[in-house]
């Protein structure tokens, strides 16, 4: 990758770090907020899903205007609103105020992912995009390695408000670098598309079998992963018996494994084929999904090892999977398509959160029941992605490489 591409991807990864961390830190705080506010698993799932479902709405609306603006300007606008929403979360005083703050954060946050992916796809050629996606996934890994453990440390040591304050402050410090180093991405504005044509393009997406397959693949990919995520921390503490002060280690080890594997997987995907790497990673990840959701009282080092392999294999699915999805559309309408993809992913995470709350329940000691059912559903969805990936690859071969 060229120097300017590395700088761009590094900044996008840091932005992604704050974006993902705001979303991720909400779930581990369940250990604190569920007893503090006397929440059931369903109520906590509503708090978690409120971000995703509001992001779904804003992502859907963006389909019709995302390609009308310079991608950099739209990204900076969305990121500024997202930071304001994160600050608001820090000052929530109960269930309803937190839901409202998460909705505001989600409305702006829903615009971010599509713009990041569109900027990366517009600036970096397809033959180097696998590496770029690997570096971009470093934002997720950093959120796990540094952000979540540190956020949990702040929450356990001081109060649950502090993680949100730190995330928002870091984002404010990042803004000047984004203004300076992220280039304007406006080649798609040379021949602007009118609203009527945008609506027509939206319907065209659903008449394009390649793009429909990519969206279905994206929805199942995120739902299959996320369905077991929201209640992991309460499950580990109240079912498996992991001490709360040790829970940051789970994310530290998992994040380190994800950070390393993202770079390796990105290179392997470019060298050996994105679908091939995806399939192997998906099949390996199934083993660890089953282990995690049926975990007895194991020693801490065993738990850490299982989560390390699960984080690595999950990253192994996501990196080549996202690269395949970006290939389904040309650069002229990539903003609208990636907004729809972000919309689909938000719907998937919101649906997965609600489903996890509906299927499980907690007893008087906050132990989570029926968590293993979530694992079985996850396995079915992952296997569905594997089957669809073969069909998607065949259709992607029909997309001209020069338009990517």
């Amino acid at each position: 990758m060229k120097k300017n591409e590395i700088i761009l991807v590094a900044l996008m990864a840091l932005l992604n770090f704050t974006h993902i961390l705001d979303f991720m830190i909400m779930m581990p705080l369940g250990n604190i907020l569920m007893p503090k506010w006397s929440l059931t698993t369903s109520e906590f799932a509503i708090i978690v899903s409120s971000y995703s479902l509001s992001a779904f709405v804003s992502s859907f609306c963006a389909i019709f205007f995302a390609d009308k603006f310079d991608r950099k300007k739209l990204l900076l606008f969305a990121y500024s609103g997202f930071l304001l929403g994160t600050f608001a979360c820090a000052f929530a005083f109960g269930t309803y105020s937190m839901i409202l703050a998460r909705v505001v954060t989600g409305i702006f946050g829903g615009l971010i992912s599509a713009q990041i992916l569109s900027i990366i796809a517009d600036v970096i050629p397809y033959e180097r995009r696998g590496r770029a996606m690997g570096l971009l996934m470093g934002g997720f890994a950093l959120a796990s390695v540094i952000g979540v453990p540190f956020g949990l440390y702040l929450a356990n040591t001081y109060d649950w408000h502090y993680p949100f304050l730190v995330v928002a402050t870091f984002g404010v410090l990042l803004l000047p670098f984004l203004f300076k180093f992220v280039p304007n991405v406006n080649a798609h504005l040379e021949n602007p598309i009118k609203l009527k044509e945008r609506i027509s393009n939206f319907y065209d997406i659903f008449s394009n079998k390649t793009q429909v397959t990519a969206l279905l693949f994206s929805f199942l990919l995120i739902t299959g992963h996320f369905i077991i995520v929201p209640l992991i921390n309460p499950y580990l503490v109240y079912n498996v018996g992991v001490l709360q002060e040790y829970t940051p280690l789970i994310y530290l080890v998992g994040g380190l494994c994800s950070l390393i594997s993202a770079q390796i997987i990105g290179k392997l995907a470019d060298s050996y084929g994105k679908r091939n790497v995806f399939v192997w990673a998906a099949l390996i990840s199934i083993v660890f999904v089953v282990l995690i959701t049926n975990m007895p009282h194991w020693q801490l080092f065993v738990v850490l090892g299982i989560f390390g392999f699960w984080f690595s294999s999950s990253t192994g699915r996501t990196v080549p999977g996202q690269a395949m999805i970006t290939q389904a559309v040309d650069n002229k309408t990539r903003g609208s398509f990636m907004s729809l993809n972000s919309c689909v992913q938000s719907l998937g995470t919101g649906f997965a959160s609600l489903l996890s709350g509906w299927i499980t329940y907690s007893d008087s000691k906050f132990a989570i029941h029926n968590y293993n059912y979530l694992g079985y559903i996850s396995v079915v969805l992952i296997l569905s992605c594997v089957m669809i990936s073969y069909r998607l690859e065949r259709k992607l071969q029909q997309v001209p490489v020069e338009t990517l």
Side-chain angles (χ1 to χ4, degrees):
M1 292 177 61
K2 299 178 181 178
K3 182 179 178 180
N4 65 313
E5 293 174 350
I6 294 174
I7 293 174
L8 172 64
V9 175
L11 286 173
M12 293 296 98
L14 289 174
L15 191 158
N16 216 26
F17 163 73
T18 58
H19 179 217
I20 293 171
L21 180 56
D22 170 272
F23 178 68
M24 287 182 64
I25 199 64
M26 188 72 247
M27 291 168 284
L29 291 179
N31 290 348
I32 298 174
L33 295 181
M34 287 177 70
K36 185 180 182 67
W37 291 343
S38 300
L39 301 175
T40 65
T41 56
S42 297
E43 291 169 337
F44 181 67
I46 291 173
I47 293 178
V48 174
S49 64
S50 60
Y51 176 97
S52 299
L53 295 178
S54 59
F56 161 74
V57 174
S58 63
S59 297
F60 183 82
C61 294
I63 295 168
F64 304 102
F65 68 79
D67 288 321
K68 190 177 180 180
F69 301 97
D70 184 304
R71 304 204 198 286
K72 174 184 177 179
K73 293 179 180 178
L74 183 56
L75 176 65
L76 292 176
F77 166 76
Y79 192 53
S80 299
F82 165 81
L83 294 176
L84 289 175
T86 303
F87 271 119
C89 292
F91 298 99
F93 50 84
T95 304
Y96 296 109
S97 59
M98 178 60 83
I99 290 175
L100 178 60
R102 297 308 291 165
V103 166
V104 172
T105 310
I107 288 174
F108 290 100
L111 303 175
I112 292 176
S113 294
Q115 299 314 306
I116 291 176
L117 292 174
S118 295
I119 289 172
I120 294 296
D122 279 3
V123 174
I124 299 177
Y126 184 71
E127 60 268 17
R128 296 197 294 274
R129 207 173 293 161
R131 291 177 175 85
M133 289 298 175
L135 289 173
L136 186 62
M137 282 299 295
F140 171 81
L142 281 175
S144 300
V145 174
I146 300 174
V148 174
F150 182 61
L152 288 177
Y153 169 78
L154 291 175
N156 292 334
T157 306
Y158 300 102
D159 203 352
W160 65 268
H161 305 274
Y162 284 85
F164 293 108
L165 290 173
V166 172
V167 170
T169 301
F170 183 86
V172 169
L173 295 176
L174 182 63
L175 274 174
F177 296 94
L178 297 173
F179 273 104
K180 183 175 181 179
F181 293 106
V182 176
N184 291 318
V185 183
N186 50 23
H188 58 287
L189 298 178
E190 295 178 359
N191 297 303
I193 304 173
K194 296 181 180 180
L195 179 60
K196 184 177 180 180
E197 189 176 352
R198 292 177 191 280
I199 296 174
S200 176
N201 288 340
F202 171 74
Y203 287 109
D204 288 343
I205 290 175
F206 293 96
S207 62
N208 185 309
K209 293 182 179 180
T210 301
Q211 295 178 16
V212 170
T213 303
L215 291 173
L216 176 61
F217 176 79
S218 180
F219 176 80
L220 295 177
L221 182 65
I222 193 70
T223 306
H225 171 73
F226 198 77
I227 193 169
I228 70 171
V229 172
L231 296 173
I232 277 181
N233 230 39
Y235 176 76
L236 288 175
V237 172
Y238 299 115
N239 292 64
V240 181
V242 176
L243 296 178
Q244 184 156 318
E245 55 265 32
Y246 292 147
T247 53
L249 287 175
I250 302 292
Y251 297 91
L252 177 61
V253 171
L256 283 171
C257 293
S258 182
L259 182 62
I260 296 171
S261 64
Q263 312 316 311
I264 297 173
I265 292 296
K267 294 178 181 179
L268 290 175
D270 286 339
S271 301
Y272 296 101
K274 295 167 181 61
R275 192 264 302 163
N276 292 332
V277 174
F278 169 81
V279 170
W280 278 106
L283 295 177
I284 292 171
S285 70
I286 287 175
V287 177
F288 300 101
V289 168
V290 174
L291 286 174
I292 287 172
T293 55
N294 292 272
M295 192 175 289
H297 282 70
W298 277 335
Q299 294 290 328
L300 179 62
F301 75 91
V302 177
V303 176
L304 292 175
I306 291 173
F307 269 86
F309 282 111
W310 178 64
F311 269 79
S312 297
S313 57
S314 296
T315 302
R317 296 195 314 255
T318 305
V319 170
Q322 289 293 344
M324 290 173 68
I325 291 167
T326 63
Q327 190 186 351
V329 63
D330 59 34
N331 59 3
K332 184 178 180 181
T333 57
R334 180 171 284 120
S336 294
F337 176 81
M338 295 312 296
S339 291
L340 182 56
N341 180 58
S342 178
C343 176
V344 165
Q345 291 186 331
S346 295
L347 180 62
T349 55
F351 173 71
S353 297
L354 291 176
L355 190 61
S356 67
W358 292 336
I359 292 176
T360 61
Y361 65 94
S362 57
D363 57 28
S364 59
K365 295 181 180 180
F366 296 99
I368 308 298
H369 298 272
N370 293 342
Y371 190 66
N372 57 320
Y373 294 169
L374 302 183
Y376 303 142
I377 295 173
S378 177
V379 169
V380 172
L381 294 175
I382 292 171
L383 290 175
S384 299
C385 285
V386 170
M387 290 186 290
I388 292 174
S389 69
Y390 287 91
R391 180 182 178 185
L392 178 60
E393 185 183 50
R394 288 196 299 270
K395 293 186 177 299
L396 291 178
Q397 292 171 351
Q398 303 170 10
V399 180
V401 175
E402 59 270 15
T403 66
L404 303 176

